[in-house]
Amino acid sequence: MHYLDESLTCAEAAEDPRDYLGISQLGRCARASGMALKPDVYPAAVQLESLRFWHEGHTAEDDIVARLQRAGCPVYSRQLKVTFPERHPLHERVWGHIDGEVPLVPAKAEGLGVAGAAPRLDLAILEIKSLRAGALKKLATEGTVSQAWPQYGIQAHTYALCRGRHWVAFLVKDRNDGTIVECWESFRADLAESGIAQGLRVLSDLDAGQLSGRDYNPGSDWQCRKEYCQFRDHCLRAGA
Ligand code: SF4
């Protein structure tokens, strides 16, 4: 194992278990999200490949934010902790950190067909994704990030709801050749509502002392492969 892999492994082992449901988990498998909140019962089996993948993702985020700032684009609220408003049942039980917020400048608003309608300083949720080779082809085919990868849409639009933002700006980097594609989406309440429904489902199942049902099929879905689901063995042992 080389130095970087060893460092990633040590850092992962030193991490405190998460005691909250992450907004980044909404849109993924509810059963896995529930298991992640019970580390004593369901210790995660994190693969080295997953650690490398996450590390690449974080590095891409830092790199793209630095490039935006060097180019003169302000990035606000970097790594700001975001949760639901007070009195919402998910307030402080579900939260996460945003990559940042960027201004919807007049030129951008014009390109999106909302010139004049967008306040000059309206901010958009910034979501940076670093995906495997070929991902950008899927994005080109589907048209938007939320169409291509609904789980990313659910996370980003849930953040937009929590922050009261009308726009999400995705920057998607192809890990193979470094190409970056920008995709702006206006706020989608349906995706944020899916996020809320899933958060409520995971937490109510946990409060009732039970595991959520499977959202995927371990026999055929890629989401259940060991490099994507750290709870696969527990899931199989626990039954349907
Ligand atoms: S193996 Fe699949 S269904 Fe089971 S917890 Fe993981 S993602 Fe969910």
Side-chain angles (χ1 to χ4, degrees):
M1 191 183 280
H2 62 62
Y3 189 74
L4 178 59
D5 284 349
E6 221 168 81
S7 304
L8 291 173
T9 307
C10 290
E12 170 64 21
E15 282 259 316
D16 287 333
R18 204 182 251 200
D19 59 359
Y20 64 94
L21 180 59
I23 289 181
S24 62
Q25 291 298 307
L26 304 178
R28 298 182 189 273
C29 178
R31 188 180 179 91
S33 300
M35 287 179 171
L37 291 172
K38 293 253 174 197
D40 295 345
V41 187
Y42 307 109
V46 181
Q47 307 291 302
L48 182 55
E49 189 182 348
S50 308
L51 294 176
R52 289 179 183 150
F53 188 82
W54 298 334
H55 178 68
E56 277 182 43
H58 293 141
T59 304
E61 274 173 29
D62 292 341
D63 174 50
I64 289 176
V65 167
R67 286 161 69 178
L68 284 170
Q69 290 171 329
R70 268 199 299 273
C73 172
V75 177
Y76 303 105
S77 317
R78 175 91 176 115
Q79 289 301 327
L80 181 77
K81 178 187 165 184
V82 170
T83 186
F84 288 81
E86 272 181 50
R87 291 197 290 278
H88 191 285
L90 299 182
H91 175 68
E92 290 293 351
R93 292 198 75 189
V94 179
W95 50 270
H97 295 94
I98 51 174
D99 293 340
E101 291 176 320
V102 288
L104 180 65
V105 294
K108 186 64 70 181
E110 198 169 325
L112 293 167
V114 292
R120 192 177 170 80
L121 285 179
D122 199 4
L123 292 176
I125 296 291
L126 173 67
E127 275 283 305
I128 297 172
K129 299 292 173 202
S130 172
L131 302 176
R132 292 200 162 100
L136 296 190
K137 276 193 198 134
K138 184 169 185 190
L139 180 55
T141 310
E142 298 289 341
T144 67
V145 171
S146 293
Q147 285 295 120
W149 303 283
Q151 73 271 28
Y152 292 152
I154 288 172
Q155 295 154 22
H157 289 272
T158 302
Y159 278 130
L161 176 83
C162 293
R163 293 285 291 160
R165 303 300 182 209
H166 299 109
W167 293 91
V168 173
F170 287 99
L171 290 182
V172 184
K173 179 180 177 184
D174 189 315
R175 291 183 181 200
N176 195 39
D177 61 11
T179 310
I180 297 171
V181 169
E182 184 178 308
C183 173
W184 284 69
E185 297 182 12
S186 58
F187 173 63
R188 282 189 52 187
D190 60 322
L191 293 174
E193 279 164 14
S194 292
I196 291 172
Q198 189 171 12
L200 290 171
R201 176 181 158 214
V202 172
L203 295 179
S204 65
D205 284 346
L206 271 182
D207 291 345
Q210 64 191 38
L211 278 180
S212 301
R214 292 181 178 132
D215 285 337
Y216 299 103
N217 179 348
S220 55
D221 287 328
W222 63 265
Q223 288 89 345
C224 299
R225 283 171 19 206
K226 282 194 169 184
E227 63 269 35
Y228 295 108
C229 180
Q230 291 83 53
F231 305 97
R232 181 186 163 87
D233 290 345
H234 297 305
C235 174
L236 295 178
R237 269 198 295 271

